[in-house]
Amino acid sequence: MKAVANIHYAITRFLLLVFLYSAVAKFVEFAEFRSELGKSPFLHPIAGFMAWAVPVLELVVAILLIVPRAQRIALYGYFYMMAAFTAYVYLMMKKAYYLPCVCMGIFDDLAWETHLVVNAVITVLVFMAILLGQGRNAKRRHALRYPLEGLNRPANQGQINKDGSITFLY
Amino acid sequence: MSNSEHIANKQHDTIRNGQGKTGASLFGRRVVKPKLVVCGVLALLAVMTVVALWLASDEPNSRDNGFTRHYLDGDLQPFLEYPVPEDVRYLAGRLGDSLYFSTQRAGEALALDVRSGQAARRQLVGDSALRDGLDKFAMLEADRFGLMLYDGKQRLIVRVEADGTLHTHRADQPFTRATRFSRNGVALRKFKYRERDQYLYRFDLSADTALDESLASGSTHDGGLVSDGMLEFDGETGQGIYLTRYANRIVLLDTNMRVKAIGQTVDTFFQYTLHSQAVGRGKRAKITNAGPAFFVNHAAAIGSGRLFVNSFAKADNETADQFRASNVIDRYRTDDLPGGPAYEGSYRLATERQRRIRNFRYYGNTLAVLTPGTIRLYLIEP
């Protein structure tokens, strides 16, 4: 079970880096990012708004990912943004009459097909992180079932004996 | 049950039910199901957001554009069809019985024998120093006089004789379009010194000089971006055209680059559909398009007094699905008409998987049309 926790930790930190990098790259090359968004047939009427909204939201989600209590809501936000971005890339490839470059930094040279795959992979990672994380009511349910636990001793402190039995220390 | 056993059982329950600190809640039904529901709803909302953006966007071909086409031969069927490698970029022209294609390797051409269907790669530039210096987007042209290689960034014009001999020439400024109209005459669209625009020039290969500049492509002070177009010459009649990509403007030229007439393609896009902007400041400023680029005219070919234009503008008598399922080529007469070229009709070329034309050429009643991975030859009525 510790492996699951480790995987969850690794995924969330990776997702954090992706959004952090993406947001910073957009701010550094803001004029170009704003210009590229304006070339999108779907976004050009709201390009000015989106040019600010996307990196700010990425930054907010990235910061919330660090805060343990806000991690769940950050992951849902991340999932929504990535799902929307994946759907956008797919629909652009299928329906748009002009394909601009909307990528920044290391994603600058990606073809739209590759971008779709990268987006899909990241979306799946976010989904995995959501599944691997603790549920919304996990602590509350635990507290209702075992109201005295924690008051008397910290959980899971003990040692495994040679015969396989466990001696708890409290 | 002893106290320690009771605690051990309780601890076991804690882990089994996924309530412990270990994150073991993964496969508990009560925990996973709400997560799946929330993710499903979020995914649905995300797709709805994007679809709403798509529906709200303005696509010129989703509405009526105020013109109609009439079709000359119904759906044209090819009489010859050959696969070509994926690295083929465009059809450079015809020389003898072979069609020549530009590939992604600088200085290389692919020659396809139309009779046998045999294709062979040919390195046009033997000199490795010259070849290494060539831009990979160097333009290749094949005509009745031989092969030409143009590298606009390097200002280089390379004439390749039939025996493989090379003659190199340099223009005085970088250029973006080039085509040969006679053995020694080349038409260029090039940057004018210290001006933010491009103009049409005639370049004489025998004397290495630029002559008779023309303002035929207009002056938009954006490096020629908005008024970008196709420069083609009819080797038989000496008739030249400059056809804009983002508006329906056709300029008829003579071999001195003088404007003979200005006309329009059949559609109604009189204004440029592209706008430009400068991104960045000072010397680092980059001129780029300020909106999505809608290609009114995508490709063109000229020959035997006819101009053929692959148009991306949907007519009112075509449905959006029909238009997507085929490539349309409009035909014009380019005789010296006072109002410019006259529309004669259109051809509809069926295409699979909505593959658009890369470019095409016209020679001897034949349209040679390149789509990604395939070259098709169509016979048309003169």
Side-chain angles (χ1 to χ4, degrees):
Chain A
M1 287 303 146
K2 196 176 178 184
V4 172
N6 285 342
I7 291 169
H8 178 261
Y9 180 83
I11 292 175
T12 48
R13 289 303 176 267
F14 170 74
L15 295 174
L16 168 82
L17 286 178
V18 169
F19 258 26
L20 208 57
Y21 175 80
S22 177
V24 170
K26 286 180 177 78
F27 280 125
V28 169
E29 299 174 51
F30 186 78
E32 195 158 338
F33 175 62
R34 163 76 182 78
S35 161
E36 291 299 330
L37 276 187
K39 295 174 192 174
S40 163
F42 294 179
L43 299 177
H44 76 101
I46 52 167
F49 167 73
M50 291 297 282
W52 281 105
V54 171
V56 165
L57 280 174
E58 283 177 344
L59 213 54
V60 168
V61 168
I63 291 167
L64 288 182
L65 273 177
I66 308 169
V67 183
R69 290 185 67 179
Q71 201 175 67
R72 182 175 45 80
I73 198 78
L75 283 171
Y76 282 132
Y78 209 124
F79 182 78
Y80 172 79
M81 287 175 73
M82 286 312 300
F85 193 22
T86 309
Y88 167 76
V89 171
Y90 178 78
L91 214 57
M92 281 285 284
M93 285 170 59
K94 292 288 173 192
K95 298 289 180 188
Y97 59 89
Y98 179 73
L99 289 177
C101 173
V102 287
C103 26
M104 291 279 116
I106 51 168
F107 301 127
D108 208 19
D109 292 331
L110 287 188
W112 280 78
E113 291 82 1
T114 321
H115 218 307
L116 185 66
V117 174
V118 170
N119 278 9
V121 168
I122 294 176
T123 311
V124 169
L125 283 177
V126 183
F127 184 63
M128 280 175 64
I130 290 171
L131 287 187
L132 293 174
Q134 287 196 351
R136 187 176 60 177
N137 296 320
K139 283 185 180 172
R140 197 179 62 178
R141 275 202 302 272
H142 183 72
L144 285 172
R145 188 175 287 189
Y146 307 109
L148 299 178
E149 189 182 289
L151 294 175
N152 301 329
R153 59 167 175 77
N156 289 346
Q157 281 194 13
Q159 63 185 39
I160 301 172
N161 302 320
K162 283 182 181 175
D163 60 357
S165 62
I166 302 170
T167 304
F168 288 98
L169 307 170
Y170 53 93
Chain B
M1 187 182 290
S2 69
N3 191 31
S4 62
E5 280 173 334
H6 173 71
I7 293 170
N9 284 340
K10 208 167 77 171
Q11 195 73 19
H12 178 68
D13 278 351
T14 304
I15 292 169
R16 197 188 59 187
N17 289 322
Q19 314 303 334
K21 286 169 76 178
T22 53
S25 59
L26 171 62
F27 300 111
R29 245 179 94 194
R30 287 171 61 187
V31 177
V32 169
K33 199 176 171 187
K35 288 177 179 177
L36 288 175
V37 170
V38 173
C39 285
V41 170
L42 285 174
L44 194 67
L45 279 174
V47 171
M48 283 168 63
T49 309
V50 177
V51 169
L53 282 172
W54 168 46
L55 294 176
S57 67
D58 178 33
E59 212 270 76
N61 282 337
S62 64
R63 51 177 153 83
D64 284 346
N65 289 318
F67 71 98
T68 56
R69 286 192 171 92
H70 75 270
Y71 285 94
L72 296 167
D73 288 338
D75 282 3
L76 270 187
Q77 296 300 325
F79 69 91
L80 266 179
E81 181 175 335
Y82 295 117
V84 290
E86 285 294 327
D87 70 332
V88 159
R89 288 196 292 127
Y90 65 91
L91 172 60
R94 180 189 175 217
L95 179 59
D97 286 334
S98 294
L99 291 174
Y100 279 80
F101 301 89
S102 171
T103 71
Q104 288 175 356
R105 291 181 199 162
E108 186 191 77
L110 182 88
L112 174 75
D113 189 307
V114 178
R115 292 174 193 273
S116 64
Q118 295 293 315
R121 288 179 190 270
R122 183 178 160 192
Q123 186 51 252
L124 301 175
V125 183
D127 180 358
S128 59
L130 180 62
R131 189 173 62 232
D132 292 346
L134 277 176
D135 184 47
K136 70 173 183 174
F137 295 110
M139 297 170 274
L140 179 71
E141 184 182 35
D143 59 15
R144 61 199 168 115
F145 303 113
L147 295 167
M148 295 289 284
L149 203 54
Y150 306 101
D151 185 339
K153 281 186 188 168
Q154 312 274 346
R155 303 179 285 118
L156 196 65
I157 300 170
V158 181
R159 187 168 42 154
V160 186
E161 300 288 355
D163 61 358
T165 314
L166 301 184
H167 302 277
T168 57
H169 310 264
R170 274 192 197 275
D172 60 343
Q173 290 290 309
F175 54 88
T176 54
R177 295 286 178 276
T179 185
R180 179 154 69 165
F181 56 83
S182 69
R183 181 169 290 279
N184 287 320
V186 173
L188 301 177
R189 184 175 188 243
K190 68 167 196 158
F191 291 95
K192 193 173 183 180
Y193 185 60
R194 285 185 179 170
E195 283 202 29
R196 292 172 64 180
D197 257 312
Q198 293 183 62
Y199 300 96
L200 300 181
Y201 282 78
R202 169 188 157 135
F203 190 85
D204 194 336
L205 295 176
S206 60
D208 278 15
T209 49
L211 305 166
D212 299 328
E213 72 180 66
S214 157
L215 297 177
S217 50
S219 185
T220 46
H221 301 289
D222 60 359
L225 179 74
V226 164
S227 58
D228 187 23
M230 291 149 274
L231 182 61
E232 300 286 341
F233 262 88
D234 183 346
E236 296 169 33
T237 61
Q239 175 73 70
I241 60 115
Y242 183 75
L243 176 70
T244 52
R245 285 188 192 281
Y246 308 112
N248 63 359
R249 194 168 183 232
I250 308 174
V251 181
L252 289 184
L253 304 160
D254 65 13
T255 52
N256 286 320
M257 303 299 116
R258 278 193 285 262
V259 177
K260 289 161 65 181
I262 296 177
Q264 276 84 36
T265 47
V266 65
D267 58 81
T268 48
F269 292 90
F270 301 104
Q271 304 294 324
Y272 289 116
T273 59
L274 189 74
H275 302 282
S276 61
Q277 64 181 347
V279 177
R281 288 179 186 173
K283 287 184 178 177
R284 295 189 65 192
K286 186 176 82 175
I287 293 178
T288 181
N289 45 322
F294 178 69
F295 289 83
V296 176
N297 301 309
H298 176 250
I302 192 169
S304 309
R306 295 283 187 279
L307 167 66
F308 299 88
V309 179
N310 172 219
S311 172
F312 274 14
K314 184 186 82 67
D316 296 357
N317 59 338
E318 297 159 335
T319 65
D321 288 340
Q322 274 175 344
F323 192 71
R324 270 196 295 271
S326 58
N327 286 303
V328 170
I329 291 180
D330 301 323
R331 188 172 104 172
Y332 301 84
R333 199 149 52 88
T334 59
D335 303 338
D336 291 336
L337 302 167
Y343 174 66
E344 293 186 320
S346 302
Y347 300 104
R348 191 160 43 211
L349 282 55
T351 179
E352 76 280 359
R353 289 185 288 155
Q354 298 182 14
R355 289 200 148 184
R356 300 290 108 190
I357 289 175
R358 278 205 173 141
N359 78 319
F360 65 104
R361 298 280 172 185
Y362 176 70
Y363 57 88
N365 299 336
T366 302
L367 280 173
V369 179
L370 177 70
T371 50
T374 314
I375 179 80
R376 293 186 178 89
L377 273 61
Y378 300 86
L379 200 61
I380 59 171
E381 292 294 322

